[in-house]
Structure formats: C-alpha cells, structure tokens
C-alpha cells in the first residue's frame, strides 16, 4: 500500500477544477476526478466537452488563469475563418482548444470509448490524477426558460445565463450506463468529495447516471460536500439564481438539503456559521472552514483542510 489517501472527487468545471487542483498539489493524496459530461455539445462537427476540458487544462497547467477556462496564450485564427465563412461562432473555441476537439472527435468516430480517449489525453498532458467520466454515453443538459428549452451552452454562453431557468432535464440519462472506472474509483475511495460545483447542472448529471448514487451509498468512504455558495452568493455563475428559481433555498442550507441523503458532512464558509444548526438539522454535519480558493495557495490549503477533517474523523471536526 502506498499509504496515500485515495480521494474521489465529483466535479464540474471551474469550481470543480479549483478543488481538483488543490488535491493534486497534496502529496498525501491519490486523486480520481469524476467529471461532468452533460455540458458537452457539438460545434462545427466537433465534440466539445467543456467541463472535462476545463479539468484537463487546469490539471495540466494549461488553463487560462484569468478566465478559469480555455487555454492560456490562445489564438483564434480558426474561429475567425469560421466567422468569415458565416458559421455561428458565439461559442469561443481557441486554436489550441480546436486541436483537442479534433483529436477527441476523430477517435470517437473510430469507435473509441470517451473514457479511454480522456485517459489518453490526461496521460499525454502529464496529468497524474485519473480523470474519469461518469458514463461513456451521451447525456445533454437542457434548460427550460420563458422562451422555451435551450441546450446548456446556448443558455450558458450564448445567452450568458440571463434567462430564468424553470426546469432542467438531462437528455439521454435514462439509458446512460456508468463507467466501470467511475464505479471502481468510488468503491476504492478512502474519501469521497463533492466539489463546490453547481449542484443542479454540474453535480446532478453525474449523480443521475444509473448506479453512481448507489455506488456512493455502498462505498466505505465518508462523503464530504463543499458548498459552492458563500453568504448566499455564488463565487461565479448562475447556481444561486437557478436554485432559487427551482424552489430551493439559495444558500448553504439549500446545498445541504440537496445532498442530505448522500453526504455525511457539508463544509461551509465561516461567513455562514449562523447556518450550522439548520444544516445539522437537515441531517448533514456542518463544518466551517475558509472555503474560498482564489489562488494556488488557497486551493492547496483548503484541500489539506479536508484531508485533516478526514484524518480527524468527521464527528470531531464539527463546526
Ligand atoms: P462550471 O461547470 O464551470 O460552472 O463550474 P462548476 O459547476 O464546477 O463550479 C461553479 C461553482 O463553483 C459556482 O457555483 C461557484 O460559486 C463555485 N466556486 C467557484 N470558485 C469557488 C471557490 O473558490 N470556493 C467555493 N466554495 N466555491 C467556488
């Protein structure tokens, strides 16, 4: 045995990748990340997987740090040509990024498993963590707005998350089978962490793949979730507005209620200390820490805080 702690992280894009980067910096951790494929969409004949790519770019140090997504030092000559030719170019795809999408799409057309393709990209990019897909099948988030149903990227990028979301579906979820890699990572984990990702459109599509929730419940590892909301607000993105529109409380209590039947503990910010009793009452143990991760130091420090909570035993780490 390596003696390292096997952490399996459920993660979306930007918030998920921050948490993953923190764990990847911990020598004591052997990291597996189960990412979100429901944001995937086809552009210009290429299969784009925004959350998985954010994870790959972050863990390989290629990410554009100012944006939190996309590749650093990126060009847009390919997109300019598409624009000149009259193609729809509202989804920004940089030149280097196009290379990844071409590679993925070509291998998919040859019948390769998306999980194998992702594993190979991670390996070539020098990523030590295992980047796993919850399913090899295609699942696509669609959101209902006052103007009708939209594909997730149409809502998120084209319409800048402006429309109110009144319903969410994951098309294809009923037929999606879990990957054995994801199930194994849950079974073998010492600690399962739900990243501070959007609960409704990043974490829910992972949990909705048949067999994933069951594997988490059957796992021997404790499950710790991290709140993406601090003082009732998101750090970035539409999670708070979405939660409110979907009839949930848009604060750490709402997150706790969402994960109540799955998580043992929810780590919230010190700013939300006043919510501890209400969270405990929802059946999830509240633990207060500094959960904002603005830079590499904070990410690593917070990942180490979670490891310390695990080592201490959840009950002893209470608020
Ligand atoms: P997306 O798929 O790119 O939207 O990314 P995720 O779903 O993984 O992450 C979005 C969530 O991350 C938002 O709800 C943010 O509030 C949350 N988030 C971003 N940065 C931080 C941070 O430093 N700390 C915490 N606790 N949450 C964060």
């Amino acid at each position: 045995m390596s003696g390292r702690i096997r952490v399996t992280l459920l993660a979306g894009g930007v918030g998920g990748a921050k948490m993953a980067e923190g764990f990847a910096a911990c020598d004591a951790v052997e990291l597996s990340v189960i990412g979100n494929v429901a944001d995937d969409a086809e552009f210009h004949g290429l299969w784009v997987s925004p959350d998985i790519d954010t994870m790959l770019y972050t863990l390989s140090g290629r990410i554009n740090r100012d944006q939190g997504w996309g590749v650093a030092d990126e060009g847009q000559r390919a997109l300019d040509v598409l624009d000149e030719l009259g193609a729809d170019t509202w989804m920004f795809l940089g030149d280097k990024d196009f290379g990844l999408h071409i590679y993925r799409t070509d291998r998919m057309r040859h019948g390769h498993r998306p999980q194998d393709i992702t594993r190979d990209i991670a390996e070539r990019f020098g990523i030590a963590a295992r980047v796993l897909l919850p399913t090899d099948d295609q699942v696509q988030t669609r959101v209902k707005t006052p103007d009708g149903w939209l594909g997730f990227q149409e809502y998120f990028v084209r319409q800048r998350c402006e429309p109110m979301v009144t319903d969410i579906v994951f098309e294809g979820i009923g037929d999606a089978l879990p990957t054995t890699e994801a199930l194994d990572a849950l079974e073998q984990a010492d600690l399962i962490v739900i990243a501070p990702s959007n609960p409704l459109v990043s974490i829910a599509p992972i949990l909705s793949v048949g067999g994933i929730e069951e594997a988490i419940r059957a796992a021997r590892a404790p499950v710790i979730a991290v709140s993406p909301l601090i003082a009732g607000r998101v750090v970035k993105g539409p999670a708070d507005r979405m939660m409110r529109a979907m009839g949930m409380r848009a604060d750490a209590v709402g997150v706790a209620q969402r994960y109540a039947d799955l998580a043992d503990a929810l780590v919230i910010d010190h700013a939300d200390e006043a919510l501890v009793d209400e969270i405990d009452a929802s059946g999830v143990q509240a633990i207060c820490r500094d959960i904002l991760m603005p830079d590499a130091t904070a990410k690593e420090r917070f990942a180490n805080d979670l490891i310390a909570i695990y080592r201490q035993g959840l009950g002893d780490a209470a608020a």
Side-chain angles (χ1 to χ4, degrees), residues 12-16 18 51 196-198 202 227-228 234-236 239 291 293:
V14 176
K18 282 185 171 182
D51 276 5
S197 291
N198 186 320
S202 290
S227 176
V234 287
V235 180
K236 195 168 175 256
I291 68 169
M293 297 175 277

Side-chain angles (χ1 to χ4, degrees), residues 11-14 17 33-40 47-60 63 70 97 100-101 104 114-115 117-119 121-122 125 127 130-135 153 202 206:
V14 176
V33 182
I34 303 177
N36 172 36
V37 294
D39 286 10
D40 291 13
W47 196 252
V48 178
S49 196
D51 276 5
I52 301 299
D53 294 343
T54 295
M55 191 58 71
L56 292 165
Y57 292 146
T58 300
L59 291 176
S60 63
I63 197 83
D97 198 27
L100 181 62
H101 308 318
R104 169 186 290 123
Q115 173 59 63
I117 303 170
T118 308
R119 178 203 59 208
I121 296 168
F125 278 7
I127 297 171
R130 295 199 304 154
V131 181
L132 307 175
L133 307 186
T135 179
Q153 298 305 335
S202 290
I206 303 174

Side-chain angles (χ1 to χ4, degrees), residues 69 89-92 143 145 150-165 234 236-242:
W69 55 271
T89 52
W90 51 266
M91 180 77 174
F92 181 84
V143 296
T145 72
L150 296 175
F152 188 73
Q153 298 305 335
E154 282 176 287
Y155 159 75
F156 198 74
V157 178
R158 188 177 209 169
Q159 308 233 20
R160 299 162 203 271
C161 306
E162 278 161 12
M164 183 158 115
V165 172
V234 287
K236 195 168 175 256
D240 51 353
R241 279 187 298 126
M242 267 186 180

